[in-house]
Amino acid sequence: MKKPRVCVVGAGVIGLSTAVRIQNELPNYDVTVLADRFSPDTTSDGSGGFWQPHLVGGDNQDMVIQWGRDTLNYLFYLATSPLANRLGAQMVSGYSFFSEPQCPEWRHLVLGYREVDSREIKLLFPRARFGMFYTTVMIHVKAYLSWLMSRFKHNNGNVIDARIDKLEDLVKEYDVIVNCTGLGARKLINDHDVTPIRGQVTRVKAPWVKLFMTYQGTHGHCENYILPGADAVVLGGTGQEGNWNTGVDDEDRKMILEGCVEMMPSLKEAEVVRHWTGLRPHRTSGVRLETERLAKGKLVVHNYGHGGAGVTLHWGCAGQVVREIRTAFTPNFSRL
Amino acid sequence: MKNDHQALYFRDQFEGTSGAGVIGLSSAVNVQLLIPGVDITIIADQFATETTSDGAAGHFGILSERTNADTKKLSRWTHDSFEWYHQLYMSEESNSAGVLRLFGYQLWSSKRPAPFHSKFDYTFRELSKKELQRLPGNHTYGWAQDSLMVECRRYLPWLLKKFKDKGGKIVRRRLNNINEIGESYDVIVNCTGLGSRTLFNDKMMVPIRGHTIRAKAPWIKHFYIGGNGDTYIYPGQDNVVLGGTRQRGEECLKKDQKYFDDIIDRCCTLVPSLKHADIEKLWVGLRPWRSTVRLEMEVISINDRRLPVVHNYGHGSDGVCLSWGCGVDAAHLVKEQLGQTGAQQTLSKL
């Protein structure tokens, strides 16, 4: 009996984690990852790797919470395991400030969530009108992708470096195609609901920073954040809808530094490691995670459009893809 | 007219003793702030980075209960020190002064009353069941604490520079007897820690030996205290401090590997990924413990000359926590002795 063949298209955090979960949980399946970009050149690589549902579309908060919970549990496990150093997986605590009061659904998922009182806001960041303190997880995405890839290959996963023009090109060879192409889905399957939200960051050396700090204002997508990673502190950022520029913008660079220095003056002289820009694959109607049946019992499972919440949702979404395949897939030869 | 009042500081001279560097330097800088133009010399045989102060973590949290402590004074010293460090933390200089903000966990096997320092921290609270489940070990009780850590590796050189910039003088010398310098100065400030055992015959001074390890583990962002307070992990700017031991009465400074191995074992039980941390430095030092901090005036007689001595020693493991506040008090005692009149100078930010 021929093993069912799965092709995961895309090798960012969504694609690789999906491929690994399929291997682990559907061991009868033959899994291939096909992509035209691999770590360290994917969008995921430059991200802060910070768990917090952010810039993800759609009204369906329930699924975001479910996937987010599964992912956070997994990340907590990694951060407290002997693998923590290799993955730069860290439990980390800190403040998120806002220009308006918030009541996020995910506050029950993180640890030790509390609202910050006005005295503390005045002391720390007077510009804000609201603040929260909590404990979450941050991961070094590049290291994580590298680890996922080595697990994938170790379990006999097949990797193809190629570009395809349409998903149909894969139907002949594969029984299940998992579409993890992010922004690429716009062209690949003509989903114009997918648009970029441009994010620029600066990584600096500032090892005295142990707490994160973020600020979101309502004026012009103002967002500044300081995320202390294992190898560098990530300073951000921007959230420019519809902006396709993958270069480093000097005005943005200045705005990021100034905003972060306002939050933490000691960052003023921090040594810059590098600037980076990525295009978050946002989808207005939210993450598309669903199965499309093709002829001859073949399937396409879509798993794209995670916006700024790729790392935050990846593991939970990958688990859902496995469930979709398990319930929907019927091998070509048997129908009884 | 040159102000010819002179004050002298001893810094700790007992070889290998920890913690005294921060007391002496903090006192010296406070005197300079309170009495502008005063002529100050620090005499010590070990300075700043050469002292074993840099073996200590410097976390604002270890405040041992003192049996007959004057809690009013202890509160004032703690409060003043925390305010000072907070100012530094909020400034551009925080990293060069070695001050960093730290959040973390104290994990216990049973409920206990909140510690003395808890009212000074930014936040302090009990851990929820959910948190205890997520955190290492099978602890049934614990605290979350948000506070500051002051790393002497940077803080002492930073203080020393302030001291020198304001005209302070340094003399590198080991003193065996107080008589050796009695003639030269108007006031002496004694910050000799364990050295006071011999220099001032203080039998209440007891060394409490401690061992720490510094390791590279930049993925650790929280501090952890476990093992009933004896096991700790503090992430500093350059490395993580792992500890520790509390060996009362032990004075030998030989680096006995079995203690370090035991520390690593205990820390790895708490945070398994630490087994991959590269070890950079092993350290052993002696906490200058006394049942109460001695911060008071004493007039001694040297060669028929009346010599006021301001004592400021015996801080045990709380040197960093108390140093600035104690320095403020010591400076006031010095000022009284020098007979200065006029408006009291307010402490200003450096």
Side-chain angles (χ1 to χ4, degrees):
Chain A
M1 184 167 98
K2 199 180 83 155
K3 265 183 160 191
R5 305 199 63 199
V6 181
C7 182
V8 175
V9 187
V13 71
I14 300 297
L16 283 185
S17 59
T18 303
V20 164
R21 282 201 82 161
I22 295 172
Q23 273 183 333
N24 287 348
E25 296 165 50
L26 302 170
N28 290 340
Y29 291 60
D30 202 46
V31 190
T32 297
V33 165
L34 185 153
D36 62 356
R37 285 213 320 227
F38 294 86
S39 178
D41 301 318
T42 70
T43 306
S44 307
D45 282 286
S47 89
F50 184 78
W51 190 96
Q52 198 222 78
H54 180 53
L55 291 178
V56 59
D59 296 319
N60 193 352
Q61 278 302 296
D62 289 343
M63 288 319 294
V64 168
I65 292 300
Q66 189 181 306
W67 295 328
R69 175 192 292 120
D70 289 348
T71 307
L72 187 56
N73 286 344
Y74 184 59
L75 291 174
F76 273 137
Y77 154 70
L78 290 178
T80 52
S81 77
L83 284 170
N85 62 309
R86 184 170 168 188
L87 308 178
Q90 331 172 127
M91 288 193 33
V92 66
S93 304
Y95 292 90
S96 284
F97 292 109
F98 298 84
S99 57
E100 276 164 14
Q102 306 284 313
C103 197
E105 288 284 325
W106 50 262
R107 68 190 185 282
H108 303 299
L109 303 182
V110 294
L111 289 185
Y113 177 91
R114 68 176 174 87
E115 287 181 9
V116 172
D117 65 36
S118 53
R119 183 195 58 96
E120 232 179 321
I121 295 180
K122 249 206 207 94
L123 209 58
L124 290 172
F125 195 57
R127 185 153 50 110
R129 288 280 153 272
F130 179 84
M132 47 177 83
F133 186 98
Y134 54 97
T135 300
T136 182
V137 179
M138 198 170 155
I139 195 160
H140 186 195
V141 184
K142 200 162 95 161
Y144 183 53
L145 293 182
S146 167
W147 177 71
L148 284 174
M149 182 57 94
S150 72
R151 278 175 72 185
F152 179 70
K153 286 181 173 168
H154 181 75
N155 288 330
N156 300 316
N158 191 29
V159 179
I160 299 177
D161 185 343
R163 193 185 173 79
I164 52 166
D165 290 319
K166 38 195 204 310
L167 286 183
E168 286 72 31
D169 292 346
L170 300 170
V171 173
K172 188 157 174 231
E173 252 200 280
Y174 299 95
D175 303 299
V176 181
I177 299 157
V178 188
N179 173 17
C180 303
T181 54
L183 202 53
R186 187 185 164 92
K187 249 185 153 178
L188 192 66
I189 57 166
N190 240 348
D191 185 345
H192 288 270
D193 204 13
V194 177
T195 53
I197 298 186
R198 181 178 175 278
Q200 183 171 316
V201 294
T202 299
R203 280 176 162 75
V204 299
K205 281 261 174 270
W208 59 90
V209 179
K210 308 292 181 192
L211 270 64
F212 66 80
M213 240 171 134
T214 75
Y215 175 67
Q216 269 165 260
T218 42
H219 312 290
H221 303 290
C222 166
E223 55 172 70
N224 279 116
Y225 48 88
I226 299 165
L227 308 174
D231 64 325
V233 178
V234 182
L235 305 184
T238 62
Q240 298 147 345
E241 289 178 11
N243 187 334
W244 290 85
N245 176 22
T246 53
V248 174
D249 181 280
D250 206 50
E251 285 301 309
D252 288 339
R253 184 190 59 77
K254 280 197 207 122
M255 180 272 295
I256 288 168
L257 187 65
E258 275 165 23
C260 290
V261 167
E262 187 192 337
M263 283 199 280
M264 237 181 244
S266 61
L267 286 173
K268 198 161 176 210
E269 305 298 326
E271 183 196 324
V272 172
V273 175
R274 100 183 250 237
H275 306 286
W276 179 87
T277 300
L279 306 178
R280 300 175 184 88
H282 187 258
R283 194 167 176 272
T284 329
S285 39
V287 174
R288 186 176 180 204
L289 207 166
E290 62 185 0
T291 305
E292 202 185 315
R293 287 177 178 271
L294 305 177
K296 302 183 189 169
K298 303 214 173 185
L299 299 177
V300 170
V301 183
H302 295 287
N303 185 12
Y304 67 89
H306 300 80
V311 169
T312 297
L313 303 176
H314 76 278
W315 196 252
C317 287
Q320 176 112 7
V321 171
V322 168
R323 286 193 290 280
E324 296 278 322
I325 296 174
R326 201 182 263 131
T327 52
F329 181 61
T330 311
N332 197 18
F333 61 90
S334 152
R335 256 268 168 208
L336 290 171
Chain B
M1 183 179 106
K2 187 189 170 209
N3 185 334
D4 56 357
H5 287 143
Q6 295 195 352
L8 160 74
Y9 295 80
F10 287 164
R11 273 210 48 261
D12 175 59
Q13 294 185 133
F14 191 92
E15 218 167 65
T17 307
S18 67
V22 73
I23 299 299
L25 281 174
S26 304
S27 305
V29 168
N30 266 292
V31 169
Q32 286 177 320
L33 286 174
L34 197 60
I35 313 167
V38 70
D39 195 329
I40 307 188
T41 305
I42 295 182
I43 295 182
D45 63 349
Q46 286 174 313
F47 281 87
T49 50
E50 296 167 308
T51 70
T52 47
S53 283
D54 98 13
H59 182 236
F60 208 97
I62 313 168
L63 216 56
S64 50
E65 253 60 55
R66 289 165 185 274
T67 45
N68 51 348
D70 181 339
T71 40
K72 214 166 146 210
K73 278 192 183 163
L74 210 58
S75 288
R76 189 176 69 241
W77 294 333
T78 312
H79 173 267
D80 287 354
S81 300
F82 194 89
E83 285 295 297
W84 165 249
Y85 294 131
H86 171 71
Q87 272 188 105
L88 280 181
Y89 161 66
M90 296 298 283
S91 77
E92 280 178 20
E93 291 190 90
S94 73
N95 56 309
S96 51
V99 180
L100 50 93
R101 179 105 174 234
L102 206 54
F103 176 85
Y105 303 104
Q106 297 197 28
L107 304 167
W108 302 94
S109 49
S110 59
K111 189 172 158 79
R112 60 192 49 221
F116 184 82
H117 64 78
S118 57
K119 46 185 177 291
F120 302 100
D121 302 321
Y122 290 112
T123 58
F124 185 92
R125 62 171 174 83
E126 288 181 329
L127 292 174
S128 65
K129 268 206 182 60
K130 184 178 169 197
E131 282 174 302
L132 286 165
Q133 276 163 9
R134 277 278 167 224
L135 289 168
N138 292 317
H139 297 92
T140 48
Y141 185 74
W143 298 313
Q145 181 193 1
D146 183 356
S147 194
L148 294 170
M149 187 159 85
V150 180
E151 296 193 284
C152 287
R153 172 63 67 91
R154 286 195 164 76
Y155 185 55
L156 295 191
W158 185 85
L159 273 180
L160 187 62
K161 183 169 186 302
K162 295 286 169 204
F163 175 72
K164 284 181 174 172
D165 286 350
K166 281 193 184 329
K169 297 196 284 269
I170 304 288
V171 169
R172 183 185 285 275
R173 182 177 165 183
R174 187 182 178 81
L175 286 176
N176 296 309
N177 193 302
I178 186 79
N179 290 343
E180 292 174 41
I181 42 84
E183 302 290 324
S184 329
Y185 301 93
D186 300 311
V187 180
I188 290 176
V189 183
N190 171 29
C191 306
T192 55
L194 267 177
S196 293
R197 253 191 325 191
T198 42
L199 272 167
F200 289 92
N201 215 14
D202 188 340
K203 304 270 189 285
M204 288 174 71
M205 286 305 299
V206 178
I208 300 188
R209 190 170 68 185
H211 297 77
T212 62
I213 297 168
R214 287 200 178 253
K216 269 267 181 273
W219 64 93
I220 306 292
K221 299 291 193 251
H222 289 131
F223 76 81
Y224 297 90
I225 300 175
N228 279 322
D230 289 328
T231 303
Y232 48 84
I233 298 161
Y234 294 109
Q237 195 173 154
D238 306 304
N239 44 42
V240 179
V241 182
L242 310 178
T245 58
R246 243 174 265 273
Q247 298 160 343
R248 194 188 165 100
E250 297 291 340
E251 296 193 39
C252 174
L253 291 173
K254 172 173 151 277
K255 288 179 183 160
D256 194 335
Q257 192 58 39
K258 70 170 182 280
Y259 294 121
F260 296 109
D261 288 343
D262 181 57
I263 286 170
I264 292 174
D265 265 340
R266 286 186 274 127
C267 288
C268 286
T269 306
L270 219 43
V271 179
S273 58
L274 279 174
K275 73 177 186 222
H276 302 291
D278 288 326
I279 297 195
E280 288 191 333
K281 185 173 175 183
L282 304 177
W283 177 84
V284 59
L286 307 176
R287 298 172 184 84
W289 195 83
R290 195 174 186 274
S291 57
T292 50
V293 171
R294 188 176 185 201
L295 209 168
E296 62 185 5
M297 254 284 301
E298 181 191 5
V299 179
I300 63 172
S301 178
I302 293 183
N303 304 332
D304 295 324
R305 186 182 171 231
R306 176 190 178 277
L307 186 64
V309 177
V310 174
H311 292 290
N312 186 8
Y313 67 89
H315 301 81
S317 54
D318 304 329
V320 170
C321 269
L322 300 175
S323 57
W324 192 257
C326 286
V328 168
D329 275 14
H332 279 104
L333 289 175
V334 170
K335 188 173 177 181
E336 271 172 38
Q337 281 310 305
L338 291 181
Q340 298 268 342
T341 52
Q344 183 169 8
Q345 183 176 55
T346 52
L347 290 176
S348 59
K349 285 200 308 194
L350 288 180

